[in-house]
Amino acid sequence: ARRQRQMCIRDSLNNLKKEIPNLVICGDYNICHEAIDIHNPKMKGVSGFLPEERQWIGNFIENGFIDSFRYLNKEPHHYSWWSYRARAREKNLGWRIDYIMVSNNLQDKLKRSVILSQAIHSDHCPVLLEIDD
């Protein structure tokens, strides 16, 4: 059933990209894609960093999308979510689980992406993407 849902999502996105070639899909994916996206990459058995979840994000990217933040920012310790427990935000013990994915044809137009970690409205913070027109 999971495989069928993945194929359905992939097919829907491929059809949508035909109609909207400059596609941007953003939101809380609730998954850390790479070890750089989580403060403690040894947490391999935790939901949000499971191998099959990480593979799902990898497949999403391989299907013609760019993780815009990671494309423009290679350095570690940039997170978009922190637990309310143990002063995690204060200690920057976070996860990067909020993404702005863009279709591959926008690659040359990506200008800047920033996680606005100083904006404290919830356990998440906004992610900003600037695209040249």
Side-chain angles (χ1 to χ4, degrees):
R2 181 185 308 161
R3 178 94 172 123
Q4 288 177 325
R5 284 192 305 270
Q6 288 176 353
M7 290 175 62
C8 182
I9 291 169
R10 183 191 65 218
D11 293 345
S12 295
L13 289 174
N14 284 337
N15 288 332
L16 192 56
K17 281 193 293 185
K18 290 174 187 171
E19 293 177 45
I20 307 168
N22 294 332
L23 189 58
V24 177
I25 302 176
C26 53
D28 175 3
Y29 286 54
N30 252 0
I31 301 168
C32 293
H33 181 223
E34 300 289 347
I36 192 174
D37 299 319
I38 188 169
H39 76 277
N40 182 0
K42 294 178 182 175
M43 299 175 64
K44 292 188 184 345
V46 176
S47 181
F49 197 57
L50 296 172
E52 57 269 26
E53 294 168 324
R54 297 172 66 200
Q55 181 180 356
W56 185 91
I57 290 279
N59 292 343
F60 188 95
I61 291 168
E62 288 173 10
N63 194 44
F65 285 91
I66 297 168
D67 172 355
S68 61
F69 179 81
R70 191 52 67 210
Y71 179 78
L72 295 168
N73 300 280
K74 306 296 186 204
E75 62 279 343
H77 311 298
H78 292 281
Y79 309 117
S80 61
W81 177 85
W82 301 263
S83 170
Y84 282 126
R85 293 180 268 159
R87 298 182 2 237
R89 191 169 193 152
E90 179 184 323
K91 297 174 187 176
N92 199 30
L93 302 176
W95 299 34
R96 189 176 72 89
I97 59 175
D98 301 279
Y99 295 86
I100 302 176
M101 298 287 193
V102 301
S103 53
N104 281 347
N105 62 318
L106 286 172
Q107 180 175 341
D108 295 337
K109 296 182 180 207
L110 299 178
K111 184 176 178 181
R112 179 174 80 112
S113 184
V114 179
I115 295 176
L116 303 172
S117 59
Q118 299 305 311
I120 302 174
H121 303 288
S122 77
D123 52 348
H124 293 259
C125 67
V127 180
L128 170 99
L129 175 63
E130 290 181 26
I131 300 174
D132 280 336
D133 43 346

